[in-house]
């Protein structure tokens, strides 16, 4: 794997207990690789006062405890934390050289009631529903970040042919597992919430389970593939999960 | 040993200092809105400061104690009373088995905290007891308390037992200590307060008018405010030009501005990431004061530097250390 230049970044405070490192200003795989590298480095090298780190599209935000970082008020906490992070940014290197990203297959039933907006997405893009499914299952989607709700993946890689605007009136209740399209993004709802995405199918998998370790099925950096299943398979998979 | 919930109140949940380490999976921190009040409540019953307690919102619950308990009430004054008799807050309170705690009406503040010595005997989820209402886990069954709930409690702590002896007077009813910690060490709780904040990451993207008004105008905390965020009503704040931002982390106290121009202050149940421009960030030391603002009241933001914010953070921690030491001395004079 190509050595990533980690020296190009901006650092800015997010309030008095967090600092954000920004590696780029657009969503692309190169910036994502830097975010991932630094995020993984921080997980392996926690330091006194480190609370947690949150990777996003172009940034990694580090939460810290100013009381601990300042050694109970002896030093300026922000100066201390930025020195620490600048040092870490110098030494952070990709540790899994050549390792392949984790590919996760997500079975999706696109039939009938599971994909109430499939017809609309097809009509909007002058395709047949079958062509929408074929295109959606052909793609490989990069998990750029997890946010919005527990286990909710922001996926990159949706074919331009499937882009569809959000619904004018959001649904008050979207069932967990719903797979949708909003603009040029596709995603999966891990828990029941209101939302405005165009729903094209549903997965029997539980994207989020607080009893599981880790609780989120997907992690930033994973690759997702959708696999079409029948309604019968959907219910079988659902039952298997209940038993285990 | 348990607390029996006879009436649940408006919104009574179990909270601690929050669930950290899982925001990267989209799991919010949650936890107490006023962490200062929760920490002091725990100190007063001999618990570690991070122990779970009840967060009680405006209209309090009615609670029966199935055994003798050592408790403490801090935060908002919602007129707590045991068997109709007003009880004092911010001090150890010994209650006899069968006692019934009620809250008459909100006097000042929005959220009271009730800590029991030893804490609640409930399962920890992902390292925390905090209730995550939207995802339905943590706390007591992942939900707000309901009438008929029996919240199991651990036996009082050793430290609590020493306070117990000290407080135990009558054989029935309740009794509290005649001392209370020094209120000089508390945040400056007051209605319609001035709240200090630093500039947010997107401050410079706002119009000159917006940059001026965020510090000069008063904003009303809307009735649609909740544990996720306080919606502020007042003058609208706009960007110099419409800009689409890329989602990034947000935190407790982030003041973000959606396209309608009405700011939202993110509170304990905030989402982990957001894409609205962040004009300001409330300093941590003032979050307890903000947590006690009742919807309908107004707030004014006052600008401070990051350095001042962090000095105030450190001073608040020093105050908490002094409070902990003073309470310890009461136990072992």
């Amino acid at each position: 794997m190509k050595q990533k230049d980690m020296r190009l970044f901006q650092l800015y405070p997010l309030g008095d207990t967090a600092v954000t490192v920004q590696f780029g200003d657009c969503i692309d795989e190169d910036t994502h690789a830097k975010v991932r590298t630094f995020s993984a480095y921080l997980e392996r090298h926690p330091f006194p006062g480190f609370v947690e780190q949150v990777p996003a599209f172009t940034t990694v935000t580090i939460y810290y405890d100013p009381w601990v970082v300042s050694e109970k008020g002896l030093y300026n906490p922000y100066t201390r934390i930025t020195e620490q992070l600048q040092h870490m940014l110098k030494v952070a290197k990709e540790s899994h050289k050549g390792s392949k990203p984790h590919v996760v297959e997500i079975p999706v039933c696109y039939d009938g009631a599971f994909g109430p907006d499939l017809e609309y997405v097809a009509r909007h893009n002058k395709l047949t529903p079958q062509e929408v499914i074929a295109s959606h299952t052909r793609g490989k989607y990069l998990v750029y970040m997890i946010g919005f709700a527990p286990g909710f993946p922001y996926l990159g890689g949706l074919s331009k042919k499937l882009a569809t605007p959000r619904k004018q009136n959001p649904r008050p209740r979207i069932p967990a597992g719903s797979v949708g399209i909003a603009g040029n993004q596709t995603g999966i709802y891990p828990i029941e919430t209101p939302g405005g995405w165009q729903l094209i199918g549903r997965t029997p998998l539980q994207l989020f389970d607080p009893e599981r370790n880790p609780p989120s099925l997907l992690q930033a950096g994973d690759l997702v593939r959708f696999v079409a299943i029948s309604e019968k398979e959907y219910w079988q998979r659902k039952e298997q999960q209940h038993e285990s | 040993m348990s607390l029996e919930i006879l009436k649940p109140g408006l919104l009574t949940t179990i909270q601690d200092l929050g669930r950290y380490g899982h925001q990267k999976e989209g799991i919010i921190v949650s936890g107490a809105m006023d962490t200062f009040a929760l920490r002091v409540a725990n100190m007063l019953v001999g618990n570690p400061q991070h122990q779970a307690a009840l967060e009680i919102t405006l209209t309090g619950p009615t609670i029966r104690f199935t055994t003798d308990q050592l408790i403490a009430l801090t935060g908002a004054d919602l007129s707590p009373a045991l068997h109709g008799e007003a009880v004092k807050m911010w001090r150890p309170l010994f209650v006899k088995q069968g006692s019934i705690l009620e809250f008459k009406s909100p006097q000042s503040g929005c959220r009271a905290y009730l800590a029991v010595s030893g804490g609640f005997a409930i399962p920890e989820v992902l390292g925390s007891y905090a209730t995550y209402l939207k995802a339905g886990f943590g706390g007591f069954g992942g939900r707000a308390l309901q009438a008929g709930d029996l919240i199991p409690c651990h036996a009082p702590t050793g430290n609590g037992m020493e306070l117990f002896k000290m407080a135990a007077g009558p054989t029935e009813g309740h009794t509290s200590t005649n001392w209370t910690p020094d209120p000089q060490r508390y945040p400056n709780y007051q209605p319609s307060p001035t709240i200090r904040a630093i500039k947010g990451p997107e401050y410079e993207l706002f119009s000159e008018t917006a940059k001026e008004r965020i510090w000069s105008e008063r904003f009303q905390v809307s009735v649609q405010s909740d544990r996720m965020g306080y919606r502020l009503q007042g003058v609208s704040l706009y960007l110099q030009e419409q800009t689409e931002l890329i989602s990034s982390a947000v935190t407790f106290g982030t003041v973000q501005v959606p396209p309608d121009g009405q700011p939202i202050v993110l509170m304990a149940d905030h989402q982990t990431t957001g894409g609205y421009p962040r004009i300001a960030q409330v300093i941590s030391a003032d979050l307890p004061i903000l947590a006690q603002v009742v919807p309908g009241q107004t707030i004014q933001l006052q600008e401070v530097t990051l350095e001042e914010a962090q000095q105030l953070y450190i001073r608040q921690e020093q105050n908490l250390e002094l409070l902990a030491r003073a309470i310890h001395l009461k136990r072992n004079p």
Side-chain angles (χ1 to χ4, degrees), chain B residues 3 41 44-45 65 68-73 82 87-88 91-95 101 113-117 164 175-176:
Chain B
L3 306 188
L44 291 168
V45 294
F65 296 92
D68 293 358
Q69 287 280 6
L70 179 71
I71 66 166
L73 288 158
L82 277 159
V87 290
K88 289 183 173 142
R91 64 191 71 208
L93 183 63
F94 173 76
V95 290
L101 174 70
Y113 293 86
L114 188 163
V116 301
S117 185
F164 234 128
T175 182
S176 58

Side-chain angles (χ1 to χ4, degrees), chain A residues 12 15-17 25 51-52 57 59 61 63-67 72 77-78 145-146 149-151 208 214-216 219, chain B residues 20-27 132 137 201 246 248-251 273 278 281 283-284 306 310 313-314 317-318 321:
Chain A
Y12 59 85
D16 50 25
T17 59
D25 45 24
V51 175
E52 64 178 312
F57 287 114
T59 58
T61 297
Y63 292 81
Y64 64 99
D65 182 345
W67 179 240
K72 297 193 173 190
Y78 189 69
M145 60 184 267
I146 307 282
F208 171 74
S216 177
Q219 308 293 329
Chain B
Y20 285 95
H22 296 282
Q23 287 198 83
K24 59 178 174 283
E25 292 173 291
I27 298 166
Y132 184 172
F137 70 85
I246 299 172
S248 182
V250 290
T251 188
T273 55
R278 299 159 289 182
Q281 175 73 42
I283 70 168
S284 298
L306 174 62
Q310 292 198 317
Y313 185 104
I314 287 162
E317 288 301 318
Q318 286 166 341
E321 256 193 7

Side-chain angles (χ1 to χ4, degrees), chain B residues 68-122:
Chain B
D68 293 358
Q69 287 280 6
L70 179 71
I71 66 166
L73 288 158
T74 60
D77 180 359
L78 310 176
S79 324
L82 277 159
H83 289 294
E85 194 184 322
V87 290
K88 289 183 173 142
M89 296 180 61
W90 299 93
R91 64 191 71 208
L93 183 63
F94 173 76
V95 290
K96 290 295 286 181
Q97 176 183 5
S99 296
I100 291 173
L101 174 70
E102 292 172 283
F103 295 84
K104 301 285 185 197
S105 63
Q107 296 302 311
S108 64
C110 192
R111 296 171 172 90
Y113 293 86
L114 188 163
V116 301
S117 185
F120 302 113
I122 55 169

